[in-house]
Amino acid sequence: MKKKIAIVLAAGKGNRMGANINKQFLTMKEKPILYYTLKAFCECKSIDEVVLVAAKSEIEFCRENIVEKFKFTKVKAIVEGGTE
């Protein structure tokens, strides 16, 4: 059986929002928005793995403060996104 892998794109800067932090890290109910996206994919029974795409400067932040903190075990890789 083939694995079903979700790719979550979270490397954007959200310049049009005018916020002082990237939109995926804005909080909603005391958790970053990216938390809710990853939670949905990690709880989905038809998804085997998740690959998170983040800005190079935010990879470790995502790993420590979101993936590890909330125990998203289906996230198998965090990779660097492009410039735009």
Side-chain angles (χ1 to χ4, degrees):
M1 181 186 331
K2 293 183 180 181
K3 285 186 181 180
K4 294 172 201 85
I5 301 172
I7 300 172
V8 176
L9 306 176
K13 299 293 181 200
N15 292 334
R16 293 180 300 221
M17 287 189 66
N20 59 348
I21 63 172
N22 295 339
K23 60 187 169 192
Q24 60 271 28
F25 303 124
L26 292 172
T27 58
M28 186 170 66
K29 295 187 180 182
E30 300 179 18
K31 291 185 174 77
I33 291 172
L34 182 56
Y35 161 86
Y36 296 99
T37 303
L38 292 174
K39 182 176 186 286
F41 282 110
C42 288
E43 289 179 351
C44 180
K45 290 182 170 113
S46 64
I47 298 294
D48 299 308
E49 295 181 4
V50 176
V51 173
L52 176 59
V53 180
K56 183 178 182 178
S57 62
E58 296 170 340
I59 290 175
E60 282 308 310
F61 177 86
C62 288
R63 182 182 327 281
E64 294 172 8
N65 296 290
I66 299 175
V67 175
E68 291 175 357
K69 179 179 180 177
F70 297 108
K71 297 176 177 59
F72 289 132
T73 57
K74 282 190 181 181
V75 177
K76 301 300 182 188
I78 304 174
V79 299
E80 180 182 345
T83 57
E84 290 185 19

